[in-house]
Amino acid sequence: MNKKNISVIRTRFAPSPTGELHLGGARTALFNYLLAKKSQGKFILRIEDTDQERSKEEYINNQYNDLLWLGLKPDESPFFESKHGPYQQTKRLDIYQKYAQELLDKKKVYYCFCSKEELAKEKEEYLVKKKANYQYSRKCLQLSPEQIQNFLQTKKPYVLRLKVPQEKDYGFQDLVRGKITFQGKDIEDFVIFRSNGFPLLNFAVVIDDHLMGISHVLRGEEHISNTAKQLVLYKALGWNSPQFGHLSIILNKERQKLSKRDQTTSEFQMIYQLRQKGYLPQAIINYLLFLGWHPGRGITQEIFNLKEAIENFNLKGLHTQGAVFTLEKLNWYNNYYIQQLEEKEFEKQSWKVLQKEYQLAEEKKEWVQKIAFLFRPRLNCFQELINLSRYFFQEPLQIDLDLPLSQLEKLKETKELLTNLEDWKEESVRQALQTVKNLFPLIRRKLTGQKSGPELPKIIYLLGKEKVLKRLKLKS
Ligand code: GLU
């Protein structure tokens, strides 16, 4: 790489399309995006789909669309090819093949013809004797050129293994964690390529990061052991490695690794789920920004839009300790951004959610939007509108309350007041009910089935006279 290239920051997000974009992936994408954009660099999306059995085309599209929705548009990607492409690993097989051959020619990798069964047996026998730290025995390193030729001629399946120099140390300055060192003797001769023409992840990642001119790699801490292997590969290929930073793990409230099985959060871990529930991209971005990063000591600002996030982002603020995912904080952000929405946008989004749920006719739009505004201040996400406003669209459960006579009288009085009210406006409803204010909790129960909620005169006005009188009916 020449000097000019090195000064340009190029980061990448490299998902395997084996599922939808989740919070952890989105956070990795965000930090890489911010790092690049902070210095007018480039943010690249690379699809790592060499695991053919688990990869699906629809996940590639969905993950890309989720990134766009979040505002993290890649500068280069399979959807926007550029000179470093193709950006999808299954379209780069000939490139991996070429470098595998080069390593083979230089005797840095060797053919291994051991079958799965042989390897399993070898491992089992080893563990009986030594208990731990099994590594491949390097048996196939002893094969003679004739034996190798024979096997190749008979088309015996093989893999290529990297001959890891046992006596060397491999260290790097982690951008988040400081110096990390590995010893060659602890790294197995790992597989980089299979005879079916497919590379293994670590090999493909190294080739791609190098050829795509990636300068910085921010990724989850679960990749630290991959980094060790990748460093050996960089050395073997005679290339400089990018700089690596390993992000803290995301934990649940019990401080265990966030898992799909977590009951409270399982429906909130995927970006498409949050989208469906009516979370706003700016809220998710702001929330993710603080999931493992902090702007610095003494800085209390919690609200950052994407532009401010770019300006303020720095590697120093990345934490090593686990970042705890809490729904409360996500909701807090989303509630905040819902209050900030332009009225028109708020109306549009609420109508979309309620129309779909209650199959409402177009002429109800204005009325429905007024209802939505009643709940806006407390809304954590748009989908909550459905339950909060249900009593406007469906009859609430009738609660039969044993009322003392005095209350029954008052209720009758209320009904009369409302029956006689000709000018059905919020203000006139409010005026009419001045004298029965202490009955409001009871009226609310009868009209909505709820003990609390938005201001009662507003509810009464929006429910409309007919519904109100019907619901206030007493059992005779
Ligand atoms: N494709 C890998 C994954 O989905 C990421 C590899 C990397 O970031 O180096 O976990």
Side-chain angles (χ1 to χ4, degrees):
M1 225 191 289
N2 63 35
K3 237 184 166 166
K4 199 161 138 254
N5 281 340
I6 288 171
S7 61
V8 178
I9 291 203
R10 287 175 61 83
T11 64
R12 48 59 160 195
F13 174 49
S16 303
T18 53
E20 302 282 352
L21 182 63
H22 51 76
L23 282 171
R27 183 190 64 162
T28 301
L30 172 66
F31 289 157
N32 280 292
Y33 176 89
L34 296 177
L35 182 62
K37 295 294 152 182
K38 195 181 164 64
S39 51
Q40 287 81 45
K42 297 278 187 242
F43 170 62
I44 288 123
L45 171 68
R46 182 174 72 231
I47 300 297
E48 305 204 321
D49 58 344
T50 51
D51 181 348
Q52 291 261 281
E53 265 166 36
R54 293 172 59 228
S55 295
K56 282 206 183 124
E57 189 74 22
E58 68 179 276
Y59 294 136
I60 301 179
N61 292 322
N62 293 355
Q63 291 218 21
Y64 179 65
N65 285 328
D66 281 346
L67 282 181
L68 293 190
W69 179 75
L70 286 169
L72 308 177
K73 185 168 192 269
D75 299 295
E76 299 165 27
S77 73
F79 301 88
F80 196 82
E81 287 287 345
S82 170
K83 65 172 182 191
H84 297 281
Y87 296 89
Q88 186 170 346
Q89 289 186 329
T90 47
K91 300 197 169 136
R92 301 171 62 80
L93 298 181
D94 51 338
I95 303 177
Y96 309 126
Q97 175 92 49
K98 178 184 148 211
Y99 286 100
Q101 187 60 49
E102 192 180 304
L103 288 176
L104 204 52
D105 294 344
K106 289 188 182 155
K107 303 218 178 333
K108 304 224 167 171
V109 300
Y110 58 94
Y111 286 105
C112 170
F113 295 92
C114 295
S115 67
K116 257 195 198 144
E117 295 71 32
E118 283 171 90
L119 289 172
K121 192 160 161 258
E122 181 184 293
K123 182 170 179 181
E124 202 187 305
E125 283 171 8
Y126 179 91
L127 291 180
V128 169
K129 276 190 266 159
K130 294 260 177 85
K131 298 280 182 263
N133 298 332
Y134 163 78
Q135 286 185 9
Y136 175 59
S137 64
R138 291 189 153 177
K139 196 162 79 187
C140 286
L141 199 52
Q142 319 305 329
L143 293 174
S144 68
E146 293 73 36
Q147 283 172 308
I148 293 173
Q149 275 319 310
N150 267 340
F151 283 146
L152 288 177
Q153 263 161 21
T154 56
K155 299 240 176 317
K156 192 170 163 62
Y158 65 83
V159 295
L160 297 181
R161 286 183 184 270
L162 189 77
K163 196 161 71 185
V164 179
Q166 301 286 291
E167 68 292 353
K168 278 206 180 127
D169 283 350
Y170 296 89
F172 71 104
Q173 194 66 27
D174 190 291
L175 296 166
V176 183
R177 286 148 210 273
K179 181 101 186 149
I180 300 184
T181 309
F182 304 97
Q183 296 186 321
K185 67 177 173 49
D186 294 331
I187 304 171
E188 180 180 52
D189 284 358
F190 57 95
V191 177
I192 64 153
F193 203 79
R194 285 189 211 287
S195 48
N196 64 4
F198 276 74
L200 273 92
L201 186 79
N202 282 314
F203 185 54
V205 165
V206 166
I207 305 287
D208 292 347
D209 281 342
H210 175 74
L211 295 180
M212 293 180 183
I214 301 302
S215 61
H216 295 73
V217 172
L218 297 178
R219 60 186 173 201
E221 68 174 282
E222 67 277 13
H223 286 289
I224 293 183
S225 58
N226 285 332
T227 301
K229 294 176 177 171
Q230 292 176 16
L231 288 171
V232 185
L233 271 166
Y234 278 108
K235 271 262 153 37
L237 288 156
W239 295 339
N240 287 330
S241 68
Q243 288 186 266
F244 296 101
H246 293 91
L247 306 170
S248 57
I249 193 166
I250 302 182
L251 304 170
N252 64 16
K253 269 192 175 167
E254 286 73 44
R255 303 196 71 82
Q256 295 148 341
K257 189 169 185 282
L258 197 64
S259 125
K260 280 185 211 155
R261 286 176 291 281
D262 285 337
Q263 291 212 329
T264 39
T265 61
S266 65
E267 286 176 23
F268 297 84
Q269 294 181 14
M270 300 289 178
I271 301 302
Y272 84 90
Q273 294 173 319
L274 296 174
R275 261 175 106 158
Q276 275 172 2
K277 286 184 195 303
Y279 282 84
L280 299 170
Q282 54 273 46
I284 299 174
I285 288 288
N286 203 151
Y287 177 71
L288 289 176
L289 179 65
F290 280 88
L291 212 54
W293 180 83
H294 193 272
R297 203 172 286 194
I299 301 177
T300 51
Q301 181 182 345
E302 289 193 282
I303 301 297
F304 287 82
N305 62 29
L306 193 52
K307 191 166 159 274
E308 292 166 322
I310 293 171
E311 283 159 13
N312 286 277
F313 185 72
N314 53 23
L315 290 168
K316 272 207 315 271
L318 290 170
H319 305 170
T320 50
Q321 69 271 34
V324 179
F325 172 60
T326 64
L327 216 44
E328 289 81 1
K329 191 76 194 198
L330 177 63
N331 284 339
W332 181 84
Y333 273 116
N334 209 44
N335 174 276
Y336 172 84
Y337 282 101
I338 287 178
Q339 311 315 311
Q340 304 303 309
L341 283 182
E342 298 267 338
E343 280 194 10
K344 279 263 161 308
E345 187 55 32
F346 178 78
E347 286 172 357
K348 196 174 119 199
Q349 300 223 27
S350 353
W351 169 248
K352 206 168 117 199
V353 170
L354 293 174
Q355 199 283 331
K356 184 158 173 247
E357 176 71 17
Y358 296 114
Q359 303 291 308
L360 303 164
E362 190 72 18
E363 68 253 27
K364 299 254 164 109
K365 201 166 182 173
E366 219 174 294
W367 172 64
V368 170
Q369 287 169 343
K370 281 192 191 141
I371 291 170
F373 274 106
L374 287 185
F375 301 102
R376 182 175 184 171
R378 54 193 289 204
L379 219 52
N380 290 321
C381 64
F382 277 94
Q383 209 187 34
E384 281 186 358
L385 269 178
I386 294 173
N387 273 336
L388 287 172
S389 67
R390 188 173 297 281
Y391 53 81
F392 280 98
F393 309 103
Q394 294 170 351
E395 290 301 308
L397 232 46
Q398 269 303 331
I399 306 155
D400 285 323
L401 305 163
D402 271 336
L403 299 175
L405 214 54
S406 61
Q407 292 216 355
L408 279 175
E409 286 302 319
K410 275 268 188 205
L411 205 55
K412 270 193 199 142
E413 187 188 325
T414 310
K415 271 191 75 179
E416 255 164 63
L417 286 170
L418 293 171
T419 311
N420 295 334
L421 191 68
E422 273 167 22
D423 181 24
W424 194 267
K425 293 220 180 82
E426 186 186 323
E427 207 30 56
S428 32
V429 169
R430 195 185 304 277
Q431 290 291 334
L433 297 184
Q434 279 297 337
T435 54
V436 290
K437 264 187 145 168
N438 55 359
L439 213 63
F440 273 18
L442 174 63
I443 302 174
R444 183 187 294 281
R445 291 288 299 270
K446 290 200 74 70
L447 292 179
T448 70
Q450 308 289 318
K451 287 189 176 147
S452 61
E455 261 191 282
L456 195 60
K458 283 192 199 293
I459 295 179
I460 293 179
Y461 160 65
L462 283 170
L463 270 174
K465 195 169 185 172
E466 199 185 323
K467 272 199 195 121
V468 168
L469 294 178
K470 196 172 132 223
R471 290 186 194 178
L472 286 181
K473 215 165 163 182
L474 295 171
K475 271 211 310 196
S476 51

